[in-house]
């Protein structure tokens, strides 16, 4: 069992920055991939960024603006978000599991409770 706790969300103006954190505890040895996902009201959950086997993956609209990183010593995953846009407003979730795709994470991964990011125009 893996427990994930996100933090760092909040309200920011367009063009601003936020850094999300996700701290993992429990059976973290079972995690091959970790990622950030988001869900806006009325929309499906989507991949934001993920790390798996040393490689980073980004959704196209986040490339160049968001950066995913991890601190293994702290069991913490980060998401640095720059140049935020109102369309980035969503609940952001951290997840860990065997593979980073949403389908695999939702079927086999562990999820945090989410942290809300709101970007005002």
């Amino acid at each position: 069992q893996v427990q994930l706790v996100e933090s760092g969300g909040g309200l920011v103006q367009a063009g601003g920055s936020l850094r999300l954190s996700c701290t993992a505890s429990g059976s973290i040895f079972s995690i091959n991939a970790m990622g950030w996902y988001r869900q806006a009201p009325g929309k499906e959950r989507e991949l934001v960024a993920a790390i798996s086997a040393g490689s980073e993956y980004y959704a196209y609209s986040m490339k160049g603006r968001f950066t995913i990183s991890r601190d293994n010593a702290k069991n913490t995953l980060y998401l640095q978000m720059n140049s935020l846009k109102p369309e980035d407003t969503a609940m952001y979730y951290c997840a860990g599991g065997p593979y980073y795709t949403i389908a695999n994470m939702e079927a086999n991964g562990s999820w945090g409770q989410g942290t809300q990011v709101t970007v005002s125009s």
Side-chain angles (χ1 to χ4, degrees), residues 32-34 37 52 57 96-102 104-105:
N32 292 321
M34 290 195 73
Y37 306 81
S52 179
Y57 304 88
Y99 196 61
Y100 70 91
T101 61
I102 285 184
N104 195 286
M105 279 294 190

Side-chain angles (χ1 to χ4, degrees), residues 7-93:
S7 61
L11 173 64
V12 63
Q13 288 188 331
S17 299
L18 281 174
R19 188 176 81 154
L20 306 183
S21 300
C22 171
T23 301
S25 60
S27 303
I28 58 176
F29 59 85
S30 65
I31 298 176
N32 292 321
M34 290 195 73
W36 290 96
Y37 306 81
R38 70 184 187 185
Q39 186 167 23
K43 295 187 177 181
E44 292 187 353
R45 187 150 51 182
E46 62 177 347
L47 169 71
V48 175
I51 291 179
S52 179
S55 296
E56 298 176 9
Y57 304 88
Y58 294 92
Y60 181 78
S61 62
M62 283 62 134
K63 277 186 177 180
R65 298 191 300 125
F66 293 5
T67 304
I68 191 170
S69 63
R70 67 190 298 176
D71 185 333
N72 291 328
K74 295 182 179 180
N75 294 330
T76 300
L77 183 74
Y78 301 99
L79 183 69
Q80 178 67 42
M81 304 187 293
N82 299 326
S83 303
L84 283 162
K85 305 174 182 180
E87 51 264 42
D88 294 318
T89 296
M91 184 71 78
Y92 283 70
Y93 298 91

